[in-house]
Amino acid sequence: MREYRGIPASPGVVAAPAFVLREEEELSVPSYVLEPDAIEGEWDRFLGAVDKAKAEVEELRDRARSTAGEEQAAIFEAHLLMLSDPDLFESLQANLNATYRNIERVIVEFERELVEKLAGAEDPYLQARAADIHDVTRRILSHLLFRERFTLADLESDIILVARDLLPSDMISLNRARVKAIATEAGGRTSHVAILARAFEIPAVLGLGELVEEIRTGETIVVDGDRGLVVAEPDTATLARAAAAQAAAAALERELAGLRDLPATTVDGRRLLLKANIEVPEEALAAVEHGAEGVGLFRSEFLFLQPGHVPGEDEQYRAYRRVVETMAGRPVTIRTLDIGGDKVLPELGALDEKNPLLGWRAIRFCLANREVFLTQLRAILRAAAHGDVRIMFPMISSPEELERARELVVEARTECRRRGHRVPDYIKVGIMIEVPAAALASDILARRADFFSIGTNDLIQYTMAVDRGNEKVAYLHDPYQPSVLRLVKQTIESGRAAGIPVGMCGEMASDPSAAFLLLGLGLEEFSMSSASLPAVKRLLRSVSAVEAEEAALAVMSMSSSAEVSAYLAARLAAIGERQR
Ligand code: PEP
Ligand code: MG
């Protein structure tokens, strides 16, 4: 038996055969035979991808020239030459015509032969050229394959997906019925892969370090998403424990299902709102089934990360309307496009940046791309004619951004009317508080926001200066750090002082112990993945607001995260005892 420890990212225990994405290019590059009349179109597809690759490399060259100097820029010049090399084109076209294989496969085979030849050479110059060829072909392939990970979508039997890392777009396109669990070397609890795994109720362990080279496709492994453990070559006792854990989880789910229609009211009568975070419209049904009183966060960018194309206004409108109708009168908060960071979207010009998390992300990207933003705002406003819809802006870091974004809502409404669409006269416009600057200026922002929703995933990332997807620093992504708690408290207080509702849609809200503390700090709305709702509701229904306030007071004077966790655990254990 071999055990690997990682970060428990999505609960549940599963035993199944592993499917290892060992070499990304090998497994995610599809291989199929073309009809003779499809060859020409295939070649055009290749040329289109080359054009996109060239545009990207030109941008990289220019950036390198202004920031790193001529030597760096020369590397990209060499890549550009390769992207226009007639010999290269001739060889690829000849292979395509001879084999009738899809162009991705032709490229991979061509590259393998060439790189093997060059890499075996003694000459360091030729070895370096092998690396350049690899880079250039990767770039072309990424445009050809962008969001077309056939193997992940087309899996035909139940598997546990093992990979070095996954992209949010991989998660969106994978076959959810077949992927029974996920184990990756990279990633943290609040990375988007983890969030999507929880949303899709797929057990996951991330941040496992070396794993891909250790596991073989086809061997049975156990993923324990509760404890953050992966076991290869499990013995019979481990398999029996996995089966027992599955049965226990199903029993708990049945028990918690009884809470579905009960309100989230504390024993002393404080009524709280429990809402769901969703990523794709289909999830709205699960939200209703788990008793959500609304959608507190619709991560609309995942519509844009679906395989295929960028959705236009009508398509977005239909998606938003579908959520609004499924929620049947319950409020739906649609967060505007939060791309950039780990969610690159080359079609819209949101590329990988040198410092993506501090770059052209979320509201910054939208304000700079007015048409993209106005299109989305119009779609949201039109959907708002069908129910209670609210708009929420991500990653606000200054009052000016909020002001400009609000102006664009007015502009979008005017345009909708001009086009004859029915839109409401008034719509609530709120913001996420997920940057320390926003928390610190929350009193100012509260004057122009109709509500706040605290996004602790990013708030912790930016407060602690810790990439939320990097397993090596995951221990610092900790909601109980005194710095983080102070920002959360300050935000809640600013919102309350201004008379606007304050909720939380970051992962912190989905942890029952943290929910107890947040209740004590005055939080009114808790939004989380649907599957987490029942356990948080059970906790909130079993405590009093007064005792939570007392606990919060004590916590705010503590000087370490460990002290906070230990204290909350002891308080909740005592409450559990009291109820027996
Ligand atoms: C957050 O940052 O806490 C949040 C809810 O947004 P996301 O996880 O999508 O960045
Ligand atoms: Mg965020």
Side-chain angles (χ1 to χ4, degrees):
M1 231 170 43
R2 307 185 316 271
E3 290 193 350
Y4 306 89
R5 292 211 167 262
I7 298 165
S10 178
V13 185
V14 169
F19 179 87
V20 185
L21 279 182
R22 192 178 308 279
E23 271 228 296
E24 196 182 70
E25 59 267 33
E26 283 303 316
L27 287 161
S28 60
V29 172
S31 180
Y32 48 92
V33 178
L34 299 161
E35 294 298 328
D37 62 0
I39 297 285
E40 205 179 310
E42 190 69 355
W43 186 245
D44 287 344
R45 210 162 68 79
F46 169 72
L47 294 179
V50 169
D51 282 345
K52 286 187 192 150
K54 271 190 197 156
E56 225 171 66
V57 178
E58 274 163 4
E59 197 184 313
L60 289 170
R61 176 201 56 195
D62 295 346
R63 212 185 305 158
R65 189 163 280 147
S66 59
T67 55
E70 273 309 318
E71 206 178 325
Q72 287 294 321
I75 296 174
F76 295 115
E77 280 297 352
H79 289 192
L80 281 171
L81 280 178
M82 275 184 232
L83 284 166
S84 318
D85 180 357
D87 291 342
L88 174 77
F89 281 38
E90 214 171 282
S91 306
L92 289 174
Q93 199 166 21
N95 282 349
L96 174 66
N97 292 335
T99 63
Y100 285 31
R101 286 270 153 200
N102 56 311
I103 191 69
E104 294 91 343
R105 183 50 56 190
V106 169
I107 294 172
V108 167
E109 294 302 330
F110 173 83
E111 186 213 336
R112 197 202 324 266
E113 277 174 30
L114 196 60
V115 167
E116 265 170 24
K117 234 185 271 167
L118 293 173
E122 296 281 306
D123 186 345
Y125 169 77
L126 289 181
Q127 286 177 2
R129 248 187 83 82
D132 285 337
I133 288 169
H134 187 66
D135 199 338
V136 167
T137 50
R138 272 336 68 205
R139 201 176 289 284
I140 300 174
L141 281 174
S142 76
H143 286 290
L144 285 165
L145 286 173
F146 187 65
R147 306 199 222 130
E148 291 180 36
R149 301 222 166 182
F150 290 86
T151 48
L152 294 185
D154 294 348
L155 294 164
E156 278 168 8
S157 57
D158 291 354
I159 54 106
I160 291 177
L161 185 58
V162 176
R164 216 214 81 62
D165 199 4
L166 292 169
L167 296 170
S169 48
D170 293 330
M171 291 297 293
I172 288 289
S173 59
L174 59 74
N175 183 334
R176 282 177 231 158
R178 292 301 188 197
V179 176
K180 295 295 165 195
I182 289 171
T184 65
E185 294 185 353
R189 234 196 86 74
T190 64
S191 63
H192 286 103
V193 170
I195 288 171
L196 288 164
R198 288 194 288 277
F200 301 155
E201 299 185 39
I202 301 175
V205 180
L206 307 186
L208 282 148
E210 302 281 299
L211 182 73
V212 160
E213 292 304 326
E214 307 272 323
I215 308 277
R216 290 181 315 278
T217 289
E219 73 168 306
T220 295
I221 60 171
V222 174
V223 165
D224 182 339
D226 300 330
R227 292 190 296 156
L229 193 64
V230 170
V231 184
E233 292 171 5
D235 57 15
T236 40
T238 305
L239 288 171
R241 267 200 305 277
Q246 268 173 348
L252 179 64
E253 200 177 316
R254 280 194 297 278
E255 184 194 322
L256 291 176
L259 293 174
R260 197 186 89 152
D261 299 320
L262 297 174
T265 306
T266 61
V267 294
D268 53 353
R270 173 87 56 90
R271 177 73 167 92
L272 303 153
L273 279 178
L274 290 194
K275 296 182 179 174
N277 292 351
I278 66 168
E279 287 68 34
V280 288
E282 301 89 281
E283 276 184 80
L285 194 60
V288 173
E289 282 166 358
H290 284 88
E293 293 173 273
V295 169
L297 168 66
F298 179 3
R299 291 183 162 100
S300 69
E301 60 277 5
F302 285 98
L303 286 178
F304 292 70
L305 295 169
Q306 303 273 10
H309 65 286
V310 173
E313 180 180 326
D314 286 346
E315 189 178 335
Q316 287 186 53
Y317 159 68
R318 284 194 296 276
Y320 304 147
R321 180 175 168 180
R322 179 168 164 202
V323 172
V324 172
E325 287 175 345
T326 308
M327 295 312 290
R330 300 171 184 88
V332 174
T333 301
I334 301 176
R335 170 173 79 186
T336 57
L337 196 56
D338 182 5
I339 51 168
D342 62 340
K343 297 176 217 145
V344 291
L345 196 54
E347 285 93 332
L348 287 183
L351 299 170
D352 207 0
E353 297 178 288
K354 206 166 193 176
N355 235 329
L357 294 168
L358 301 182
W360 217 34
R361 219 195 119 177
I363 197 70
R364 303 168 180 186
F365 178 88
C366 285
L367 289 173
N369 289 276
R370 277 170 55 92
E371 280 318 310
V372 174
F373 196 29
L374 284 167
T375 303
Q376 178 172 41
L377 291 173
R378 288 195 300 271
I380 298 175
L381 286 166
R382 286 168 59 192
H386 303 275
D388 181 350
V389 172
R390 295 136 193 219
I391 296 176
M392 178 157 76
F393 300 130
M395 215 187 163
I396 292 284
S397 52
S398 75
E400 291 81 4
E401 279 171 336
L402 172 56
E403 213 47 57
R404 286 182 54 209
R406 288 199 79 119
E407 281 162 18
L408 289 172
V409 174
V410 174
E411 197 174 321
R413 181 188 289 117
T414 309
E415 181 60 19
C416 281
R417 294 233 161 95
R418 200 187 62 74
R419 296 182 189 183
H421 295 303
R422 196 161 59 89
V423 291
D425 291 332
Y426 173 75
I427 189 159
K428 287 188 179 151
V429 175
I431 61 172
M432 294 195 65
I433 301 287
E434 51 182 351
V435 179
L440 292 168
S442 50
D443 57 330
I444 301 171
L445 291 165
R447 295 182 204 142
R448 292 292 286 147
D450 298 320
F451 60 90
F452 283 163
S453 185
I454 306 173
T456 43
N457 309 338
D458 277 315
L459 185 61
I460 300 171
Q461 161 165 268
Y462 293 123
T463 304
M464 300 299 295
V466 52
D467 176 347
R468 61 196 258 193
N470 184 336
E471 69 283 4
K472 297 189 187 69
V473 287
Y475 65 97
L476 284 170
H477 198 283
D478 174 358
Y480 294 155
Q481 285 293 333
S483 52
V484 174
L485 292 177
R486 287 176 191 189
L487 292 174
V488 168
K489 178 170 185 279
Q490 185 170 346
T491 304
I492 297 173
E493 284 173 358
S494 300
R496 290 176 69 109
I500 61 170
V502 183
M504 178 178 285
C505 58
E507 291 301 311
M508 182 183 185
S510 65
D511 173 342
S513 313
F516 175 62
L517 170 61
L518 293 165
L519 164 68
L521 289 172
L523 195 80
E524 296 156 339
E525 288 191 20
F526 300 70
S527 194
M528 64 202 74
S529 59
S530 299
S532 306
L533 284 164
V536 171
K537 187 188 276 186
R538 180 168 68 170
L539 179 279
L540 292 172
R541 285 177 57 84
S542 67
V543 298
S544 75
V546 169
E547 66 189 336
E549 277 156 16
E550 218 179 80
L553 202 63
V555 162
M556 291 315 292
S557 67
M558 292 178 184
S559 45
S560 80
S561 162
E563 208 182 335
V564 174
S565 320
Y567 174 79
L568 289 174
R571 285 294 301 241
L572 290 174
I575 289 167
E577 280 303 314
R578 187 181 73 197
Q579 284 166 347
R580 264 167 218 216

